[in-house]
Amino acid sequence: AQKVTQAQTEISVVEKEDVTLDCVYETRDTTYYLFWYKQPPSGELVFLIRRNSFDEQNEISGRYSWNFQKSTSSFNFTITASQVVDSAVYFCALRVGRGSTLGRLYFGRGTQLTVWP
Amino acid sequence: DTEVTQTPKHLVMGMTNKKSLKCEQHMGHRAMYWYKQKAKKPPELMFVYSYEKLSINESVPSRFSPECPNSSLLNLHLHALQPEDSALYLCASSQHTGGVRQPQHFGDGTRLSIL
């Protein structure tokens, strides 16, 4: 079975602080992808990044960075110098590619990030 | 701007009404999805269409009826809904269901309220 756990329900920070959102996943598949989505109040889920199970290279994109560690089954997301516009719900999701699970995204319950001015 | 367009943005309907939600994408994607999202919860998968054929139905009640008339369009027909069906309905698309690496691209959703 697949499972994604985001233990942090809500996080509040003040603008310009760094913030890390945690994601832990469970799967027995050896081939899988991990995704982060952002959902602002408008409702749309915005795709941010994906990582596959064979690529543990971490990435920095502007103020965003991701830390993928297979040894701990974690795929954490860090925002550096947070801004008010970063306020949103962030979802971590897992996708495997076999059988009846084709097409499914397994979402964590989401982390509400609020950035105060 | 999102590349997946959903209409209407908001819908209020009575329990005896019939209405439809529409979703359109022009990215050439061959997989399309309907999700239901309640407040403070993650999206829940309802239906998956692959090459215009229904491939996954997550035991959704028959008062929700999906339709994929062509590769760009996805409809969700609603009839005799219950108050607990009030939620944000999200449409998504991806290149096809078999590609594990492909992200799903989501629309803005339709906020549905059942009176």
Side-chain angles (χ1 to χ4, degrees), chain B:
Chain B
D1 290 337
T2 179
E3 295 177 81
V4 177
T5 304
Q6 289 187 244
T7 56
K9 298 277 189 233
H10 301 273
L11 179 62
V12 179
M13 58 186 287
M15 289 189 284
T16 59
N17 292 156
K18 286 185 180 181
K19 296 286 184 183
S20 296
L21 308 185
K22 297 185 184 302
C23 174
E24 189 169 3
Q25 58 87 14
H26 294 289
M27 294 180 282
H29 290 174
R30 303 309 299 272
M32 296 187 77
Y33 311 79
W34 278 116
Y35 288 85
K36 174 183 177 180
Q37 186 178 22
K38 302 285 276 185
K40 299 187 183 298
K41 298 286 187 182
E44 297 176 12
L45 185 64
M46 300 175 70
F47 302 104
V48 180
Y49 272 84
S50 178
Y51 292 87
E52 294 94 71
K53 293 191 187 317
L54 184 64
S55 61
I56 295 176
N57 177 341
E58 288 288 270
S59 301
V60 178
S62 60
R63 56 186 185 268
F64 295 92
S65 175
E67 178 196 19
C68 190
N70 60 57
S71 59
S72 301
L73 294 174
L74 184 66
N75 298 321
L76 186 63
H77 303 298
L78 314 173
H79 175 54
L81 294 194
Q82 304 297 308
E84 60 265 28
D85 297 322
S86 297
L88 178 68
Y89 288 83
L90 291 161
C91 174
S93 70
S94 65
Q95 286 187 355
H96 57 84
T97 56
V100 182
R101 69 185 300 273
Q102 298 156 10
Q104 294 180 15
H105 297 269
F106 287 81
D108 287 340
T110 295
R111 294 192 186 275
L112 176 65
S113 297
I114 307 300
L115 301 179

Side-chain angles (χ1 to χ4, degrees), chain A residues 59-101:
Chain A
E59 181 173 332
I60 296 174
S61 176
R63 296 186 297 110
Y64 298 163
S65 61
W66 291 268
N67 186 339
F68 175 34
Q69 294 191 345
K70 287 181 72 172
S71 60
T72 56
S73 296
S74 65
F75 184 43
N76 297 337
F77 171 39
T78 297
I79 303 175
T80 302
S82 59
Q83 300 175 1
V84 172
V85 294
D86 296 326
S87 297
V89 180
Y90 290 82
F91 289 99
C92 180
L94 167 69
R95 191 173 188 188
V96 299
R98 60 177 175 82
S100 63
T101 66

